[in-house]
Structure formats: structure tokens, C-alpha cells
């Protein structure tokens, strides 16, 4: 029997690394046909990727714009998308074998509230996958935080956007069409451990993402040369975890 070719909608190596992390660990714990909830699914890239492995996937997001994009790209009968909040979905009493919360918590003023909702939606032996940027990592320190501060200076912010446009940076992501993608939380490894414990989870695995490939001016080269992206991800693996650009993590409920 010929093995099905798995495709990737992401182009960046670190994004593909994240997809592989999610899919490989789901395959270890959740059989094909298992029910997966992708919270804050954005354009549905992760949902569609997991659908290729035979999972019954529901991707949800509060942005109708992103859900419209996700639906327009979907061809898998075992993957569907709904513009609904996690709270409203939980009220329906559904429970899932796995929940994906990828690049979501950093955008929330009260991430603990979402973790409570996910707890109610996840089966007792289920798997929660959480990925977030490292709040003290190279990109958050050198790009994200300075850019947030620059917005307070309109003339300077206009100049920055002009330079970014000239250099070919569009300011959009493959992950989501949402209007506001600001980071308001900056998680360290300890902060993740603390919030997990506070909401009755235990983190069973921390994995690294990249190092500096998405930090200007390195990004001018790495966005065009895939080998440098791959090398950067490999460098991240040998550096202390505090220097990683992000955390890929696995969580279990305390029951």
C-alpha cells in the first residue's frame, strides 16, 4: 500500500518544524479518527495538516474573516471550521482527544481563562499542545517589543512601515487573517510552568523552535535562503532553552 504524501502549507522551516512536532506527538498518543480541536485556528493551516493523518478536526476562531479563509482552502471531509469562541463550544458539552493551542496565548489579556475552557473540553487522558513565542527570546526582545513601543510615535512608525514595505515585509502571516495579532503576553519557560500548574495541567515536554532567523537584519537573508533557516533551527537545538525563539510544549490534565 502506497503511503500518502504529506504536504505542508507553511514555507518557513521553523513553522514546518512546529507542524511536525504537533503531528508526531498526536500520532504517538491519538489514533487516526480521534477528535481534535484547534483553538484559535486562524487560516486553518494546522487543522488541515492534521486532517491529512485521518483525524476528525474542528478548527475554531472568533474571527469570521479567518474562518472564511480556512473554509475556502479546505478540501478534507474530516476537517471543518466554525466561527465560535471556545467558551461557547464548551457549553455544548463536547470533549476532545487532543486540543491544539498554537500561537494563541500570547495574544490574550487573560490566557488563564482560555486554559480553563480547554480543560473542560479535553478528555481526562487527552493531550494539549501549546506553542508560544519565548517572551525573552531573540525575536520578542529585538523585534516584537520595540515595534510595539514604536507605535506610540506615529512619524517613526510610518517610517518603519515604509522601510518594511521596501524590503518586502508584508506584515501578514500564513497563520491568520485576524486584524489584531499583537502580543500582550511574553511567556518564559517558568511562566508557562506556573500558569499550567495554576490551571491543573502538567507540562510533560518542552521543545525548541528557532534562534535568530526571524530577527532583523538576519531575516533579510534567511527569508530567501532556506538552508540558513534549517541551520538556525539546528543551532537552536544546541543552545540553552532560554535562547530559543519559541516553545513547543505538550500538556496533560491533572485529574
Amino acid at each position: 500500500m502506497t503511503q500518502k504524501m504529506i504536504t505542508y502549507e507553511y514555507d518557513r522551516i521553523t513553522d514546518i518544524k512546529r507542524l511536525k512536532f504537533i503531528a508526531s506527538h498526536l500520532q504517538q498518543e491519538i489514533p487516526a479518527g480521534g477528535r481534535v480541536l484547534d483553538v484559535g485556528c486562524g487560516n486553518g493551516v494546522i487543522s488541515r495538516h492534521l486532517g491529512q493523518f485521518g483525524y476528525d478536526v474542528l478548527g475554531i476562531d472568533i474571527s469570521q474573516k479567518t474562518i472564511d479563509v480556512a473554509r475556502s482552502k479546505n478540501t478534507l471531509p474530516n476537517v471543518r471550521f466554525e466561527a465560535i469562541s471556545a467558551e461557547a463550544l464548551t457549553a455544548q458539552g463536547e470533549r476532545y482527544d487532543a486540543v491544539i493551542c498554537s500561537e494563541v496565548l500570547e495574544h490574550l489579556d487573560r490566557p488563564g481563562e482560555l486554559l480553563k475552557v480547554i480543560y473542560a473540553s479535553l478528555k481526562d487522558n487527552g493531550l494539549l499542545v501549546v506553542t508560544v513565542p519565548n517572551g525573552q527570546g531573540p525575536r520578542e526582545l529585538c523585534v516584537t517589543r520595540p515595534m510595539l513601543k514604536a507605535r506610540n510615535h506615529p512619524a517613526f512608525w510610518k517610517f518603519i512601515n515604509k522601510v518594511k514595505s521596501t524590503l518586502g515585509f508584508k506584515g501578514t502571516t500564513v497563520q491568520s487573517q485576524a486584524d489584531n495579532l499583537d502580543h500582550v503576553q511574553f511567556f518564559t519557560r517558568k511562566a508557562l510552568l506556573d500558569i499550567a500548574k495554576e490551571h491543573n495541567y502538567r507540562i510533560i515536554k518542552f521543545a525548541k523552535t528557532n534562534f535568530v532567523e526571524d530577527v532583523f537584519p538576519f531575516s533579510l537573508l534567511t527569508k530567501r535562503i532556506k538552508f540558513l533557516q534549517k541551520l538556525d533551527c539546528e543551532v537552536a537545538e544546541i543552545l540553552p532553552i532560554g535562547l530559543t525563539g519559541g516553545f513547543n510544549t505538550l500538556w496533560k490534565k491533572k485529574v
Side-chain angles (χ1 to χ4, degrees):
M1 187 176 185
T2 304
Q3 187 174 6
K4 181 181 177 182
M5 178 69 71
I6 300 300
T7 60
Y8 295 90
E9 294 182 47
Y10 283 135
D11 186 56
R12 287 176 62 222
I13 299 299
T14 190
D15 289 330
I16 293 173
K17 183 178 182 181
R18 175 159 50 100
L19 281 183
K20 288 181 175 179
F21 175 88
I22 295 170
S24 64
H25 287 288
L26 256 64
Q27 287 182 292
Q28 291 174 25
E29 298 212 19
I30 313 297
R35 303 186 69 204
V36 177
L37 176 64
D38 184 7
V39 176
C41 67
N43 293 343
V45 177
I46 296 174
S47 297
R48 290 189 295 276
H49 184 73
L50 296 178
Q52 296 180 90
F53 296 92
Y55 293 112
D56 179 11
V57 185
L58 172 61
I60 64 170
D61 202 292
I62 59 173
S63 169
Q64 184 67 53
K65 183 191 297 187
T66 65
I67 292 300
D68 289 343
V69 172
R71 287 173 173 167
S72 71
K73 293 177 178 292
N74 187 42
T75 60
L76 298 170
N78 54 316
V79 178
R80 60 191 177 93
F81 297 98
E82 296 291 339
I84 186 174
S85 69
E87 292 85 352
L89 185 69
T90 301
Q92 298 175 9
E94 300 289 338
R95 301 184 81 196
Y96 297 84
D97 298 293
V99 177
I100 312 301
C101 186
S102 182
E103 311 303 293
V104 173
L105 294 183
E106 67 272 18
H107 301 291
L108 305 180
D109 290 321
R110 295 182 294 177
E113 294 302 309
L114 178 58
L115 291 174
K116 289 179 184 177
V117 170
I118 290 174
Y119 191 95
S121 299
L122 185 64
K123 292 181 179 179
D124 288 347
N125 62 343
L127 182 69
L128 170 60
V129 183
V130 175
T131 76
V132 293
N134 174 9
Q136 295 294 326
R139 179 172 174 80
E140 296 295 87
L141 288 178
C142 299
V143 179
T144 304
R145 296 192 194 211
M147 290 299 98
L148 290 174
K149 290 181 180 178
R151 288 185 184 180
N152 297 323
H153 306 278
F156 185 44
W157 182 241
K158 183 178 180 180
F159 170 75
I160 289 174
N161 282 322
K162 186 175 181 179
V163 171
K164 287 172 66 177
S165 178
T166 301
L167 294 174
F169 292 92
K170 298 179 180 179
T172 58
T173 71
V174 177
Q175 177 108 348
S176 178
Q177 297 293 118
D179 295 321
N180 187 343
L181 294 174
D182 285 354
H183 293 186
V184 296
Q185 303 291 336
F186 296 90
F187 292 103
T188 61
R189 184 175 184 274
K190 182 180 183 303
L192 277 180
L193 289 168
D194 287 345
I195 198 171
K197 182 178 180 181
E198 180 184 353
H199 296 285
N200 296 313
Y201 296 94
R202 55 190 175 90
I203 301 180
I204 61 173
K205 185 176 181 67
F206 271 90
K208 304 168 186 176
T209 58
N210 59 352
F211 180 40
V212 294
E213 60 91 4
D214 53 357
V215 176
F216 184 84
F218 304 105
S219 54
L220 291 174
L221 285 176
T222 56
K223 70 180 296 195
R224 294 173 174 84
I225 305 175
K226 289 292 179 60
F227 169 75
L228 293 179
Q229 294 182 27
K230 184 174 183 294
L231 179 62
D232 185 78
C233 285
E234 292 173 353
V235 168
E237 292 298 325
I238 63 176
L239 293 174
I241 196 166
L243 294 177
T244 184
F247 302 114
N248 295 332
T249 65
L250 303 178
W251 300 32
K252 287 282 192 176
K253 292 171 66 171
K254 291 180 181 177
V255 293

